[in-house]
Amino acid sequence: RPRVLSGIQPTADSYHLGNYLGAVRQWVTLQEEHEPFFFIADLHAITVEQDPKVLRERTRRAAAQLLAAGVDPERSAIFVQSHIPEHAQLGWVMQCITSFGEARRMTQFKDKSAKGGEGAASVGLFSYPMLMAADILLYRPAYVPVGEDQRQHLELTRDLAQRFNSRYKKTFRLPEPYILKEVAKIYDLQDPAIKMSKSASSPSGLIDMLDDPKASAKKIRSAVTDSEMEIRFDEESKPGVSNLLRIYSALTGTDIETLVGKYAGKGYGDLKKDLAEVVVDYVTPFREKTHQILEDRAYLDGILAQGAEKAGVVARRTLADVYERVGLVAPA
Ligand code: TYM
């Protein structure tokens, strides 16, 4: 079975709807016919300052949400990035084959360092994409299910894999991004020109999966639309309505055309009211399950230990190959 791998950062108390629809949901469907590795990217989280206590808590919450979403620990290795030291070790090798100029072109660094200025950003934030390349290449996956915002990182990963393979010996498989067009970019409810995001969205623009469902319903009902009346899918001139239609379609499995037909002659209020109900029905059981799992910490930690064991076997093998190929002497 081809491998799939992906990761998510534990930088919020809850996943938001963009994380869930853009990535995590695909993890659940892909696990059926693949050999999956899914991890909580705590090493990536510390590229910006984190409160240690909060980070620990959020790492467990992130894992609990994966389970609540339907990631099955019997099929999938679910683990914490820092439990596998090979990520950081291969990350170093990746840094050594990346040019400064190419790292500098990564748009996420440009965006994230824009606020405080490049001089204030951590070196870790700069080398973030090389750690991510290591995360991926260690497991030699065929597919990496992510949202659109990770595409550039995937391209760098492929470049580095190719460079390593041609400079030394074929070692890495070139991973394919697995990005579903329909959900690749979920937009902010208040500002549909930007993606829904932990760092950039206002609270009212973002749906937290673990928030009080009533609060989420309210956010949907007050989502920004446009000054027309007609419900149709047009990302250029109706980004707000189109975003709502996408979310509606993704959560119910109804295609957008059918939805547009259903709402012909109706108003934005009707669409929002119905979508608010859809969201409530969707997040309520997710939230209950997450809290239930979080109550049994021994169970959760056991799953993460089991995941680390599975992942460690693969990661150690790849790193040993890499070290040998670049000319490092194996310890006697
Ligand atoms: P992170 O933690 O920011 O986001 C997790 C996943 O959610 C997707 N996503 C979205 N999809 C659609 N619409 C949105 N508005 C939206 N916002 C976020 C992201 O694309 C991502 O798939 N660098 C990664 C974590 C990572 C990783 C990896 C991923 C570290 N190592 C190796 C894959 C493979 C990140 O920060 O994702």
Side-chain angles (χ1 to χ4, degrees):
R1 290 187 302 162
R3 284 199 186 131
V4 292
L5 169 132
S6 199
I8 185 162
Q9 291 197 69
T11 44
D13 287 340
S14 166
Y15 295 168
H16 60 71
L17 194 58
N19 298 137
Y20 181 68
L21 292 180
V24 174
R25 223 163 62 135
Q26 281 64 263
W27 302 6
V28 178
T29 47
L30 284 170
Q31 70 184 342
E32 303 294 327
E33 283 169 14
H34 296 83
E35 187 191 357
F37 293 84
F38 300 127
F39 66 94
I40 314 302
D42 56 348
L43 294 175
H44 278 102
I46 61 168
T47 56
V48 295
E49 194 176 341
Q50 303 288 341
D51 177 323
K53 239 177 95 187
V54 174
L55 178 62
R56 244 189 300 277
E57 172 64 23
R58 286 177 169 175
T59 299
R60 290 207 173 85
R61 285 173 79 95
Q65 288 176 84
L66 284 188
L67 296 171
V71 177
D72 174 1
E74 294 303 318
R75 290 173 195 260
S76 301
I78 305 170
F79 61 100
V80 177
Q81 184 183 29
S82 63
H83 290 182
I84 310 294
E86 286 77 10
H87 287 244
Q89 293 172 306
L90 183 61
W92 176 254
V93 178
M94 289 295 127
Q95 290 185 55
C96 294
I97 66 166
T98 306
S99 73
F100 194 83
E102 129 185 277
R104 211 175 188 154
R105 284 194 291 277
M106 294 287 115
T107 52
Q108 184 180 290
F109 178 73
K110 289 190 202 162
D111 295 347
K112 289 204 173 170
S113 61
K115 265 183 253 155
E118 198 183 274
S122 72
V123 175
L125 192 64
F126 187 67
S127 62
Y128 179 116
M130 291 131 258
L131 178 59
M132 179 159 160
D135 297 338
I136 297 170
L137 298 177
L138 265 183
Y139 299 92
R140 300 173 164 130
Y143 303 105
V144 182
V146 286
E148 182 61 38
D149 60 353
Q150 299 301 315
R151 190 185 289 278
Q152 195 189 34
H153 291 155
L154 261 296
E155 278 161 15
L156 177 73
T157 301
R158 290 172 58 91
D159 288 347
L160 295 179
Q162 206 150 25
R163 186 170 309 158
F164 189 97
N165 286 349
S166 67
R167 191 177 293 183
Y168 302 101
K169 181 178 168 194
K170 184 160 184 339
T171 305
F172 296 123
R173 174 175 188 149
L174 263 56
E176 296 286 341
Y178 184 91
I179 301 176
L180 290 189
K181 198 167 133 271
E182 299 72 25
V183 285
K185 197 166 178 183
I186 301 296
Y187 292 87
D188 184 298
L189 297 174
Q190 287 301 315
D191 180 1
I194 63 169
K195 68 172 181 189
M196 190 178 282
S197 116
K198 290 173 267 213
S199 48
S201 291
S202 66
S204 50
L206 179 140
I207 301 275
D208 270 322
M209 298 292 293
L210 296 180
D211 204 357
D212 176 358
K214 281 200 210 98
S216 298
K218 196 166 158 213
K219 290 181 191 180
I220 296 281
R221 286 195 306 266
S222 40
V224 163
T225 48
D226 53 61
S227 56
E228 297 181 7
M229 306 271 285
E230 194 193 356
I231 294 173
R232 68 192 155 81
F233 190 80
D234 179 344
E235 289 189 285
E236 285 289 308
S237 63
K238 300 171 79 67
V241 173
S242 302
N243 191 39
L244 294 177
L245 285 169
R246 273 189 183 218
I247 294 172
Y248 200 147
S249 168
L251 291 179
T252 58
T254 317
D255 55 61
I256 289 186
E257 227 170 280
T258 310
L259 287 175
V260 170
K262 179 176 165 193
Y263 286 99
K266 295 193 181 170
Y268 292 165
D270 300 308
L271 172 69
K272 289 186 193 175
K273 193 173 140 281
D274 292 351
L275 178 56
E277 271 171 37
V278 166
V279 168
V280 169
D281 289 347
Y282 210 85
V283 297
T284 303
F286 176 82
R287 188 172 178 240
E288 279 165 13
K289 241 191 219 156
T290 303
H291 288 305
Q292 206 179 341
I293 294 162
L294 279 171
E295 268 165 38
D296 194 347
R297 204 157 116 183
Y299 166 76
L300 186 59
D301 288 354
I303 287 188
L304 294 173
Q306 183 191 312
E309 206 168 306
K310 256 199 236 172
V313 173
V314 179
R316 281 191 291 276
R317 194 173 306 145
T318 308
L319 189 78
D321 287 351
V322 168
Y323 273 12
E324 193 269 326
R325 280 158 202 189
V326 299
L328 307 185
V329 173

